[in-house]
Amino acid sequence: MTGRRMLYAYTWLVIAWLTLPVLIMIAFGFNDTPGRYNQSWDGFTLKWYGRVFELDELTRALVTSLAVATVTMLVAGALGTGIGYALGRYRFRGSGTVNLVMFAAISSPELVMGASLLTLFVSLGVGPGVVTITIAHVMFCISFVAVVVRARVLTLDRSLEEAAADLGANPWTTFWRVTFPIILPAVSSGMLLAFALSIDDFVVTNFTAGTTTTFPLWIWGSTRVGLPPQVNVMGTLIFLVGVAIAVTTSIRSRPARRR
Amino acid sequence: MDDRAAIELDGVHKEFVVHGETVQAVRPLDLAIGKGEFFSLLGPSGCGKTTTMRMIAGFEEPTGGTVYLDGRDVTNVSPNKRDVNMVFQSYALFPHLSTYQNVAFGLERKKVAKAEIRRRVGEMLEIVSLTGMEKRSPREMSGGQQQRVALARALVNGPRALLLDEPLGALDLKLRQQMQTELKRIQREVGITFVYVTHDQGEALTMSDRIAVMQAGRIEQLGSPREIYEKPATRFVAGFIGTSNLLDGPAGSVDDGIAVLTYGPGERVLVPVPDGVRPGDPLEVSVRPEKIDLGRDEPATAGGSVLTGVVTDVVYHGTSTNYTVKTAAGADLVVFDQNAYSAEDLAEPGDRVFLTWSAQHSYPIGVR
Ligand SMILES: Nc1ncnc2c1ncn2[C@@H]1O[C@H](COP(=O)(O)OP(=O)(O)OP(=O)(O)O)[C@@H](O)[C@H]1O
Ligand SMILES: [Mg+2]
């Protein structure tokens, strides 16, 4: 019995730990603060929600981040799915190396990756900006998508694809009509992961951005002069979208009950 | 044209290289399976049944030899272009598609018109008694129902042959027997060649027109269920199919096509042999347990085989009682006695008994 109580206490402690910062962020989006400093409670207001896009620079930074994250999600999703599928399905010359590089890319420190990417872009003579940010994001997100997809493909019953071929489907049709729909949940998890990693990436972005400002970079730049409540509002909205996606995927991936 | 075999294997064999070692999964096979035939590949685990079937379906490329379907060489044709369909042991139903969509999959690939697809899928679901389950997804169905979806999905394409790899392996005994009858009925109804892989000899015997008994990548014997059962060609077949009693010895006299093996005074085994067997030739005789009569009294007319022995074991099996008898001739013989005729046990352990059977129930193994 005490064991069970301790489990409850522990669970709630972890939940509190995880959500407290988020709750504070949400709360200060409703803070009726008079000046730029948003660090003490001055009463409840909804006005920041009406004035969320009032700061042009911040809005532009957010749009940049959303655009980069969307492109990253799509490109890394497509490339990562291809690599993950190949790694999970076939043994080919170099497949071991690709596998190793994937995990190395995931586990290598972002600082190192950012710095080396900067060197690469400079030595190639590519001016830093939205394009270099996106290239860098795609690069480090591919591995995450590939690893998630590969894990799913490894557990995929091979005879499903054989059955499709047996019923007259060519390899292309087999992939799109059978394999892809079945691994789609893994592909979308990988893509969401890529989006999430991209939209709040700071380290790699900072190295590759040049004069471009993304949402995290803007926040970092303005912490010294005080964060406007709009940042809390945008943070809250991004968080809510994330929660909504997480809830829908968990409902959809729940195994259907037998009637 | 019509006497062409539906499936023909000509010297087809398959080797796998596993960790640098070559495994002979299937040794050169010559085989012709007729149109509309129910043909079984029977054998113990690892004997190459699945590999043989996968070479017919095109999932495995033979190391050598030629595969013909309806007289056409398809050895290098990919599976999606072969006019045969397979029912997988795991069923391999598409989990994201409904029953209807699963069954329609093959017809859609052939670009059959929508209305025609609807008609044929409906018909096929009726044959496998799944009408009304069109919208269910595979995981909303029982094992037996899934099995029938897999069957319908393959059959609806009207293939030249249907390949079934232990299709009833995952079902419990009752359902298994029910599905055996059902499969046989469906096969008669659609008239398609069935190639059936199983390691269950009872299943093979009851369902097949012909059986190929495989062992270690080879066909040991090919014949009708009756031939395989009554006239096992090798020791392996005799032991693998049902229970068999084996007796060794040199032929004594050979008279009128009947050889006599003598074991002692009044103890002998009669066996019909082909021409060419001479007195003194070593013989191996198989006799099925249900053909032997067991009694405590010395048989009055001894026109057939007679052996004596001591009962060592009596096991009641419901429909029959099985006796194990240690014979003076040296072998342990098993005798099945139908309980329909015996109200009580014929003998008890320790009893001295006489075993008798007529000459035509003995079969010489490996003699041609
Ligand atoms: N892909 C493969 N790679 C290497 N060896 C294989 C492969 N497939 C089968 N074998 C080997 O070939 C032999 C025959 O296998 P097969 O699957 O045809 O047996 P089976 O008769 O179907 O047995 P079971 O009744 O257990 O299914 C076995 O020794 C097996 O280990
Ligand atoms: Mg097998």
Side-chain angles (χ1 to χ4, degrees):
Chain A
M1 206 58 212
T2 56
R4 168 156 268 194
R5 234 178 252 163
M6 274 175 62
L7 183 62
Y8 271 127
Y10 176 72
T11 309
W12 283 107
L13 187 73
V14 171
I15 289 176
W17 193 351
L18 290 177
T19 53
L20 202 59
V22 177
L23 291 177
I24 287 175
M25 172 193 77
I26 294 173
F28 277 81
F30 296 104
N31 188 16
D32 195 3
T33 177
R36 269 212 90 159
Y37 289 90
N38 187 14
Q39 270 150 13
S40 57
W41 188 253
D42 294 302
F44 181 86
T45 179
L46 284 174
K47 70 177 177 199
W48 303 120
Y49 278 78
R51 294 163 57 181
V52 58
F53 296 124
E54 211 169 53
L55 306 172
D56 284 345
E57 257 183 59
L58 174 60
T59 307
R60 228 175 298 126
L62 181 70
V63 169
T64 305
S65 274
L66 287 172
V68 168
T70 305
V71 173
T72 299
M73 176 178 80
L74 295 175
V75 177
L79 298 178
T81 300
I83 296 171
Y85 179 75
L87 285 176
R89 176 54 80 226
Y90 308 107
R91 312 227 75 228
F92 50 92
R93 185 181 288 268
S95 64
T97 316
V98 177
N99 234 336
L100 195 75
V101 169
M102 287 287 135
F103 282 100
I106 287 175
S107 55
S108 76
E110 267 201 82
L111 268 174
V112 178
M113 207 191 303
S116 57
L117 274 168
L118 179 61
T119 315
L120 176 70
F121 288 137
V122 169
S123 62
L124 286 178
V126 182
V130 183
V131 175
T132 52
I133 297 174
T134 311
I135 292 174
H137 283 198
V138 168
M139 196 215 83
F140 76 78
C141 286
I142 282 181
S143 320
F144 286 91
V145 179
V147 166
V148 174
V149 171
R150 174 178 166 272
R152 179 65 189 97
V153 172
L154 281 176
T155 58
L156 189 69
D157 184 0
R158 185 103 228 227
S159 58
L160 289 173
E161 286 165 326
E162 290 183 345
D166 187 62
L167 295 165
N170 59 31
W172 175 260
T173 315
T174 300
F175 183 80
W176 288 110
R177 297 297 301 263
V178 175
T179 316
F180 189 72
I182 297 174
I183 65 170
L184 183 58
V187 172
S188 26
S189 313
M191 286 173 70
L192 288 178
L193 194 61
F195 189 90
L197 287 168
S198 167
I199 200 161
D200 70 353
D201 179 76
F202 179 79
V203 178
V204 168
T205 312
N206 201 22
F207 276 106
T208 51
T211 55
T212 308
T213 308
T214 64
F215 187 57
L217 291 186
W218 192 90
I219 293 175
W220 172 250
S222 54
T223 37
R224 270 157 294 165
V225 284
L227 280 182
Q230 276 90 344
V231 169
N232 295 59
V233 173
M234 286 179 180
T236 304
L237 294 177
I238 293 174
F239 173 73
L240 287 179
V241 171
V243 169
I245 291 173
V247 168
T248 44
T249 40
S250 88
I251 288 174
R252 274 206 313 192
S253 66
R254 196 175 291 168
R257 297 263 161 72
R258 293 258 299 258
R259 255 145 281 172
Chain B
M1 183 68 201
D2 223 61
D3 54 341
R4 273 272 172 70
I7 300 170
E8 206 176 329
L9 304 184
D10 186 6
V12 169
H13 58 110
K14 178 76 189 178
E15 293 168 2
F16 289 107
V17 178
V18 187
H19 302 301
E21 263 180 69
T22 306
V23 178
Q24 301 267 354
V26 175
R27 288 163 206 274
L29 281 187
D30 295 314
L31 190 63
I33 301 172
K35 289 211 171 86
E37 192 174 13
F38 196 118
F39 188 92
S40 290
L41 287 168
L42 173 67
S45 186
C47 69
K49 307 181 294 289
T50 298
T51 308
T52 304
M53 179 163 276
R54 289 172 61 83
M55 288 193 287
I56 299 173
F59 297 123
E60 220 75 77
E61 197 185 329
T63 309
T66 317
V67 179
Y68 298 95
L69 296 178
D70 262 336
R72 189 167 78 99
D73 179 351
V74 295
T75 316
N76 298 311
V77 174
S78 60
N80 54 319
K81 301 203 178 97
R82 291 194 192 191
D83 206 2
V84 295
N85 285 112
M86 184 145 165
V87 175
F88 292 79
Q89 178 160 16
S90 59
Y91 309 148
L93 296 178
F94 305 128
H96 59 296
L97 300 181
S98 68
T99 298
Y100 181 89
Q101 292 167 320
N102 262 283
V103 178
F105 193 92
L107 296 176
E108 280 169 4
R109 300 287 80 72
K110 288 188 195 154
K111 308 261 184 293
V112 175
K114 271 239 153 63
E116 171 77 359
I117 292 180
R118 200 166 312 126
R119 191 182 63 75
R120 280 167 70 176
V121 172
E123 248 174 48
M124 194 42 72
L125 288 177
E126 200 172 312
I127 290 182
V128 298
S129 333
L130 283 178
T131 308
M133 304 234 176
E134 289 84 354
K135 294 217 169 68
R136 298 243 191 135
S137 87
R139 66 170 147 232
E140 293 168 331
M141 306 187 111
S142 73
Q145 291 167 338
Q146 291 181 25
Q147 206 282 326
R148 281 178 281 166
V149 177
L151 193 64
R153 184 178 68 174
L155 274 178
V156 77
N157 306 294
R160 300 218 183 273
L162 190 68
L163 312 174
L164 305 100
D165 191 358
E166 306 205 26
L168 308 181
L171 306 181
D172 65 46
L173 186 66
K174 190 100 185 157
L175 197 53
R176 226 181 137 90
Q177 288 168 342
Q178 205 177 314
M179 286 302 303
Q180 285 173 9
T181 325
E182 193 107 320
L183 268 179
K184 196 65 200 173
R185 172 183 66 79
I186 291 168
Q187 195 250 345
R188 268 194 300 264
E189 220 159 286
V190 297
I192 290 174
T193 308
F194 272 38
V195 182
Y196 194 91
V197 163
T198 179
H199 61 246
D200 180 335
Q201 41 117 349
E203 198 165 286
L205 287 176
T206 52
M207 301 174 77
S208 319
D209 295 321
R210 279 195 307 157
I211 300 174
V213 183
M214 288 185 76
Q215 218 249 119
R218 253 191 214 96
I219 293 185
E220 290 264 323
Q221 187 174 3
L222 198 154
S224 69
R226 186 174 289 274
E227 275 165 11
I228 300 255
Y229 185 78
E230 309 264 346
K231 300 180 172 169
T234 67
R235 224 188 151 94
F236 172 80
V237 175
F240 190 74
I241 312 288
T243 311
S244 194
N245 294 306
L246 294 174
L247 293 151
D248 296 309
S253 61
V254 180
D255 213 359
D256 222 7
I258 305 265
V260 181
L261 291 72
T262 310
Y263 291 98
E267 293 201 55
R268 60 196 183 159
V269 171
L270 273 59
V271 54
V273 288
D275 295 343
V277 175
R278 315 240 160 280
D281 287 355
L283 287 178
E284 194 169 12
V285 178
S286 150
V287 52
R288 294 293 182 183
E290 69 279 7
K291 313 276 191 194
I292 303 177
D293 286 321
L294 178 146
R296 269 186 279 223
D297 307 319
E298 182 151 7
T301 53
S305 305
V306 183
L307 290 176
T308 62
V310 176
V311 176
T312 55
D313 200 21
V314 178
V315 180
Y316 178 75
H317 275 274
T319 54
S320 70
T321 305
N322 300 1
Y323 301 86
T324 309
V325 179
K326 178 145 197 70
T327 59
D332 280 342
L333 296 196
V334 178
V335 179
F336 295 168
D337 180 56
Q338 286 293 321
N339 288 338
Y341 306 112
S342 319
E344 57 191 43
D345 290 354
L346 299 171
E348 282 165 26
D351 285 357
R352 245 192 106 63
V353 291
F354 293 87
L355 305 178
T356 52
W357 67 95
S358 58
Q360 80 263 22
H361 287 150
S362 300
Y363 183 76
I365 289 177
V367 180
R368 309 241 161 250

